[in-house]
Amino acid sequence: MDPHLLRTFVTVVRWRSFSAAAEELGYTQSAVSQQIAALEADLGLALLRRRPVAPTPAGERLLEHAAPLLLRHQAARADVLRAAADPVERLTVVASPLACTPAVARSLAQARLSVTLSTAGRERVAEQVASGAADLGFVDGIAAPSDPLRLPDVGAATGIGVAEDGLVVVLPAGHPLSGRRGLALADLADALWLQAPAAVPVERLREVTGVGGFRIGFRYDGDDLHTVLNLAAAGHGLTLLPSSVTAGVPLTAPRVVHRVEMLCDPLATGPARAVAERLGWSPGPTP
């Protein structure tokens, strides 16, 4: 399948509109219609219903494969271009908001080269490494001790744990529970919580406890940790954070930790490989 046709198909499904997809892709609406028709002719199946625009059962199945296929296509293109380019001593790194631990920061400083670090959501970190948009990625989340994080299917990019911290519940000053020596998460299910990229997602709290509740009292879309702490201190909601970044009441149950994983292409060379090996990765010999 032509990846350009597949990309057009995914965009039409996302917008549920041929005209909106055409505007995003820079095509005419007629060109988008022709590309969808070409893809359907190639497969010999109808992929889209036109009024309203929605995928057929065959289109739904193709959609399941589309994202990984397009990502691998981007990764292959980036890898070829990188191999053909003149070597440049620079490193592009992407990290989720709480993933740049002191050990990660020190390792990047030891690289002694030009480093660009950007912040992205946890799933986007994996996608950027897999597509070649970033040389290295660092992603954080909560898991049982020594258990790997659950990451999306991003092709060849693999990860290794580089840090694990305990977790603390951040409470406003004067909260009745602030003097406790430890807290069980399930006991806080009826409280209001902060939802923020720089904090453990509320949905994850429900997953690890297996109970409902954990209502969102305040949403903050930024990734500034000081803002999260100020909101918690002002009583806008509780939040769960690594013990290495703030004080709070230790989480005693369930038995989970804040984990940081490094993501890297197994065939990485140069600065990316050097940083990865400093953090304990042994991806095998350079081809």
Side-chain angles (χ1 to χ4, degrees):
M1 285 177 288
D2 187 327
H4 297 291
L5 302 184
L6 193 58
R7 178 167 170 258
T8 299
F9 168 72
V10 170
T11 307
V12 171
V13 172
R14 175 157 47 85
W15 283 105
R16 293 296 198 268
S17 165
F18 280 71
S19 58
E23 183 175 350
E24 177 181 319
L25 296 170
Y27 300 144
T28 64
Q29 184 172 337
S30 174
V32 168
S33 296
Q34 291 173 13
Q35 290 183 38
I36 295 299
L39 184 59
E40 290 178 323
D42 179 31
L43 294 173
L45 294 167
L47 300 174
L48 288 173
R49 300 185 185 94
R50 266 51 174 185
R51 294 182 184 277
V53 175
T56 63
E60 291 281 6
R61 181 59 62 88
L62 178 60
L63 205 58
E64 293 175 9
H65 297 282
L69 286 172
L70 290 173
L71 196 58
R72 285 179 174 85
H73 179 262
Q74 293 175 34
R77 185 176 189 277
D79 185 60
V80 171
L81 292 175
R82 189 164 50 235
D86 294 330
V88 179
E89 289 299 294
R90 63 171 177 248
L91 191 67
T92 301
V93 182
V94 60
S96 54
L98 294 176
C100 192
T101 64
V104 170
R106 286 193 298 270
S107 182
L108 295 176
Q110 292 167 2
R112 299 188 182 280
L113 44 78
S114 175
V115 179
T116 300
L117 173 65
S118 61
T119 302
R122 293 168 176 87
E123 290 198 0
R124 283 289 296 153
V125 171
E127 291 173 2
Q128 288 192 36
V129 174
S131 69
D135 301 306
L136 284 176
F138 295 91
V139 63
D140 75 290
I142 62 173
S146 301
D147 275 4
L149 297 177
R150 296 179 300 173
L151 297 174
D153 177 12
V154 289
T158 54
I160 182 174
V162 296
E164 283 190 2
D165 273 328
L167 290 155
V168 295
V169 181
V170 182
L171 305 164
H175 193 282
L177 299 176
S178 58
R180 294 282 189 91
R181 299 181 64 178
L183 287 170
L185 195 55
D187 293 340
L188 304 172
D190 292 333
L192 293 178
W193 288 77
L194 287 171
Q195 179 79 306
V200 176
V202 170
E203 297 81 4
R204 191 75 178 105
L205 303 182
R206 299 184 188 117
E207 290 177 14
V208 298
T209 58
V211 300
F214 298 99
R215 293 171 297 152
I216 296 172
F218 196 102
R219 293 182 184 272
Y220 168 55
D221 290 333
D223 53 23
D224 179 67
L225 182 59
H226 292 292
T227 300
V228 172
L229 293 174
N230 288 338
L231 290 170
H236 288 291
L238 309 186
T239 190
L240 195 63
L241 291 170
S243 58
S244 60
V245 302
T246 190
V249 181
L251 181 71
T252 54
R255 190 165 173 263
V256 291
V257 295
H258 176 257
R259 179 178 171 87
V260 176
E261 291 186 7
M262 173 181 59
L263 301 179
C264 184
D265 187 320
L267 301 181
T269 59
R273 185 185 181 95
V275 171
E277 290 179 345
R278 265 196 295 275
L279 285 167
W281 203 24
S282 300
T286 304

